[in-house]
DNA sequence: ACCTGAACACCGTTCAAGT
DNA sequence: ACCTGAACACCGTTCAAGT
């Protein structure tokens, strides 16, 4: 009966996003969730919005997904499938940077996605594939296994943290941001060093800082490694 | 049941008859918010819960706080006041570790608090005080200013990331966790290196890994510095 | 087994109205 | 200027009921 309402917008919207009528399935749910996350407005996903997009009620999703936290884990791993793991050839250092950049780019594709990477530890097949490749690269770099085992945690954590910070819109370079304002307002009397270093603190693009930080990490890891 | 009294027990009058309810104020709101965050059940804060605890409606809070994101920033800085900034004496390396440990401990006092440290960049006076001290320590270590300026970002990001991961309850040491399960189930054929390194990946306490990671960072930073 | 409507117990935010 | 009740537009999750 409620389907006959000619003004129902949901039918039109759902046609827009997915032209063929979607059968309800775990995969369709995860895909729609990821679609909402990567929407241009930096959107967030919700079970109710997913249900609406799939032309059903929120309760129906529970046939395919235990709860929100399971959905988050599924969505995260689904997103990680886009990480290019064996794109680059060449020396290990280049491959490491390429992999981590790809990883970071995927996580930064949505503020919520980066956030999720902290809330739910990624343990799906794609996360494993990334870990495997990182171990490969570090082995080629001559890093011993115990060091490498702990190092990959630092590297992924680093990328996730950068993505989370960047996604939330804190470009430290922008002179109009709240960060810049706070630092510029920091009185030299109380915070002399912050004041003196304020130029350097806010200098550099995201790219430059990423490369610099990765270099710090690699140097530290290599210096700990028994090669 | 809003039984708590954020103020000192100088007044012994019964709360039951609620003769004098605490006056609404920005500070009372922030304090109650932080109290909810650090509740034992790993609780989350909400404007409505804060309002209820302060015996008023949610709309009343908007006289003191612009919106949720401002409240988050206020709460974060309020929490950072507990970070011990000049507790330790002695060599810079010890002071650095003490400061970062105190920082991490504060952030890890609530899952939501650690999460917040990513959502909202801390720019309050307490965050500045921490940055100032870090610059001091790195200067003593002989690190040049440009290097130090970028290094303190890495150090705080590192602590925040560790706290966020730890707070969400992912002890990589516990053999019953989802992480351990996934890694142990990783087929040796597909993920040979992960499989081979599974013992090392999950070894170590949080303390040990924190110390190890900090050492990696310090080595990397020192190796970049022009001293 | 899958799907549903309806309810439950929450959210942040706005707004006209009171004091 | 401060505070309020009520509403608006959302949440995740459960449950009895349908197919």
């Amino acid at each position: 009966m409620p389907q006959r309402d000619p003004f129902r917008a949901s039918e039109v919207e759902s046609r827009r996003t997915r032209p063929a009528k979607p059968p309800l399935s775990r995969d369709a749910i995860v895909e729609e969730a990821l679609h909402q996350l990567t929407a241009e407005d930096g959107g967030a996903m919700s079970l109710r919005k997913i249900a609406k997009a799939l032309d059903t009620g929120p309760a129906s999703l529970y046939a395919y997904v235990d709860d929100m936290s399971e959905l988050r884990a599924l969505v995260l791993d689904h997103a990680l499938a886009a990480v290019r793991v064996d794109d680059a050839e060449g020396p290990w250092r280049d491959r490491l940077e390429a992999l981590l950049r790809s990883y970071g780019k995927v996580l930064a594709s949505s503020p919520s996605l980066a956030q999720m990477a902290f809330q739910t530890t990624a343990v799906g097949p794609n996360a494993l594939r990334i870990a495997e490749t990182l171990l490969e690269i570090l082995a080629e770099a001559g890093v011993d296994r115990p060091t490498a085992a702990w190092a990959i945690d630092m590297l992924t954590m680093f990328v996730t943290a950068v993505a989370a910070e960047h996604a939330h819109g804190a470009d430290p370079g922008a002179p109009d941001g709240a960060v810049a304002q706070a630092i510029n307002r920091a009185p030299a009397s109380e915070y002399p060093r912050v004041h003196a270093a304020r130029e350097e603190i806010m200098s550099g693009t995201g790219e430059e800082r990423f490369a610099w930080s990765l270099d710090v990490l690699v140097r530290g890891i290599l210096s700990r490694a028994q090669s």
Side-chain angles (χ1 to χ4, degrees), chain A residues 151-206:
Chain A
I152 61 173
D153 199 51
M154 276 196 87
L155 290 169
T156 54
M157 206 167 74
F158 161 70
V159 172
T160 310
V162 169
E165 239 185 22
H166 176 269
H168 126 265
D171 259 334
D176 57 331
V179 189
Q181 274 191 359
I183 287 182
N184 277 325
R185 278 185 194 164
S189 56
E190 235 176 314
Y191 313 102
R193 293 181 189 276
V194 170
H195 183 81
R198 82 200 114 92
E199 290 276 348
E200 288 97 338
I201 286 174
M202 298 181 314
S203 71
T205 66

Side-chain angles (χ1 to χ4, degrees), chain A residues 87-100:
Chain A
D87 239 20
E89 301 277 325
W92 66 267
R93 186 62 174 73
D94 294 346
R95 274 162 48 219
L96 176 65
E97 186 149 351
L99 170 55
L100 292 181

Side-chain angles (χ1 to χ4, degrees), chain A residues 14 27 34 39 49 63 76 100 106-107 109 121 125 129 137 139 153 158-159 162-163 174 184 201 211-212 221 226:
Chain A
S14 73
D27 239 49
L34 192 56
K49 262 162 58 190
L76 179 57
L100 292 181
V106 165
L107 288 183
S109 64
T121 352
R129 206 171 40 100
I137 292 174
D153 199 51
F158 161 70
V159 172
V162 169
N184 277 325
I201 286 174
W212 186 88
I221 291 166
Q226 336 269 5

